[in-house]
Structure formats: structure tokens, C-alpha cells
């Protein structure tokens, strides 16, 4: 089914295997807030992984801009893209995971304040990154929209859902949902 026919934030269950090299059977978008909650206590030394210039990057993929626009319509306007690379940012103001990204306003989103932003977060699908994201959101009482894998057994999963200030939405499982960047030589479709 073409993406244009599936452009809705789906609320149905997805149990089939899914997004190829990302190891994700389903993905969701969720609006979260850090107001009135307690941090998980992840290691403060953890920062966004830095990708060296010229290396392959399995996280170099982008949510289809049409799906981003649906999230933007529901929960935006978003003011900053927290975890982008040179080829996958959705917003003009963005923090990059690549230190040599001249188009970004900075690198390593964890080193910048989030509290005054309505942030967009499509981070690398990594356990430690999600723990840090949750802690920073709670500590700064930030508000952000997060694209996350549906990993029900992950340590951070239920905490992310408990922070939700709107119903989480499953993203449609299509080959065009995540678009690979030039530094990603793996497929990302179902």
C-alpha cells in the first residue's frame, strides 16, 4: 500500500517483524512531558553517540517527511530537532550527532537546554539514549515528541509511556516510513 494511502497515525497493533536493519518490529510517536515526574537516574556521562566523518552509520535514516508533517500538525509546531545528522533533519534548528555538521546549531543535544522548546526527537534506537532522553526530559520538565521503537521489554519503555501527555500513535509499517541516508548502506523497510 503506498504511503500516501497510509498517512495516518495508526492506533492498531503491529506484531509482524519489521524495519530491517533497525531491529524494530513497530515504531510509534508519542508526545511526552517531564512535568511532575522523577528521573530514572541514568549515567550522566552518557552523551549522544558521535559519528566520525566518512564512517557508515546504521542510524542514518529519516522519518518520511509526510509522516513528520502529520506529527507536526498534531503536536507542533516543533522548535528544534534534537537528534539529526546532515541528511535527516526535519527542522531548521537542529542538534546533530555529527560533529562536523555545519548546518546544525550545535552537536550533542544532551548538552543544550530543552525546557523552552517543543522539541522533535527521532533519536538513534539505543537503550542508553532513551534512558538519557527520559532523564533530561524529566529534569528540565521539557515537552517533546519522540519517535521510538515498540520495545515493550526495554527498561525505558514503560517510563516513556507514563510520561505521555497524549495517546501514543503507532506509525504505519511501510517500506517508505524511514528513508535511508547516504551513510546507511542497510535497508530500513519492512
Amino acid at each position: 500500500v503506498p504511503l500516501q494511502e497510509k498517512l495516518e497515525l495508526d492506533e492498531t497493533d503491529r506484531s509482524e517483524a519489521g524495519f530491517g536493519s533497525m531491529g524494530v518490529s513497530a515504531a510509534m510517536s508519542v508526545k511526552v512531558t517531564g512535568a511532575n515526574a522523577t528521573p530514572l537516574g541514568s549515567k550522566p556521562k552518557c552523551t549522544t553517540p558521535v559519528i566520525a566523518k566518512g564512517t557508515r552509520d546504521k542510524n542514518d535514516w529519516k522519518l518520511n517527511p509526510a509522516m513528520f508533517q502529520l506529527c507536526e500538525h498534531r503536536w507542533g509546531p516543533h522548535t528544534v530537532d534534537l537528534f539529526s545528522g546532515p541528511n535527516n533533519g526535519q527542522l531548521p534548528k537542529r542538534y546533530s550527532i555529527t560533529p562536523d555538521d555545519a548546518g546544525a546549531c550545535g552537536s550533542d543535544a544532551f548538552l543544550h537546554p530543552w525546557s523552552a522548546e517543543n522539541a522533535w526527537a527521532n533519536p538513534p534506537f539505543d537503550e542508553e539514549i532513551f534512558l538519557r532522553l527520559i532523564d533530561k526530559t524529566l529534569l528540565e520538565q521539557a515537552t517533546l515528541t519522540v519517535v521510538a521503537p515498540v520495545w515493550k521489554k526495554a527498561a525505558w519503555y514503560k517510563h516513556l509511556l507514563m510520561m505521555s501527555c497524549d495517546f501514543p500513535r503507532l506509525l504505519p509499517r511501510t517500506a517508505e516510513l524511514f528513508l535511508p541516508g547516504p551513510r546507511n548502506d542497510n535497508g530500513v523497510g519492512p
Side-chain angles (χ1 to χ4, degrees):
V1 176
L3 182 63
Q4 48 271 41
E5 293 178 23
K6 295 189 69 95
L7 283 181
E8 70 254 2
L9 295 174
D10 195 348
E11 297 181 39
T12 60
D13 185 34
R14 302 265 191 256
S15 57
E16 299 175 24
F19 297 111
S21 65
M22 294 186 329
V24 177
S25 61
M28 66 179 176
S29 59
V30 59
K31 185 70 172 184
V32 298
T33 182
N36 304 320
T38 306
L40 299 177
S42 64
K43 302 171 191 168
K45 66 179 181 170
C46 178
T47 60
T48 306
V50 174
I51 309 302
K53 187 175 184 176
T55 60
R56 303 311 292 167
D57 178 10
K58 69 178 181 149
N59 292 309
D60 187 13
W61 50 267
K62 176 180 187 170
L63 184 68
N64 189 301
M67 187 55 61
F68 168 75
Q69 286 303 319
L70 287 175
C71 294
E72 181 76 354
H73 177 72
R74 179 173 292 279
W75 295 305
H78 295 96
T79 56
V80 64
D81 189 336
L82 296 176
F83 301 95
S84 76
N87 304 300
N88 61 15
Q90 300 281 7
L91 297 165
K93 181 180 177 185
R94 59 188 183 79
Y95 297 121
S96 183
I97 62 171
T98 308
D100 59 340
D101 185 349
C105 65
S107 62
D108 194 350
F110 292 116
L111 300 177
H112 302 276
W114 300 357
S115 59
E117 306 284 359
N118 181 23
W120 171 257
N122 188 3
F125 288 4
D126 176 83
E127 183 96 12
E128 195 65 31
I129 294 292
F130 278 97
L131 289 170
R132 287 283 291 144
L133 179 142
I134 289 167
D135 270 357
K136 185 161 178 77
T137 302
L138 295 172
L139 286 168
E140 294 190 12
Q141 297 189 0
T143 300
L144 56 147
T145 302
V146 182
V147 175
V150 178
W151 289 344
K152 294 179 181 178
K153 293 183 180 182
W156 53 266
Y157 185 78
K158 73 176 183 176
H159 298 285
L160 187 69
L161 294 180
M162 290 172 56
M163 293 167 54
S164 176
C165 58
D166 193 1
F167 294 106
R169 305 305 200 280
L170 285 176
L171 300 174
R173 201 172 140 270
T174 69
E176 299 144 344
L177 182 60
F178 295 107
L179 308 174
R183 291 168 29 139
N184 183 343
D185 54 3
N186 294 310
V188 292

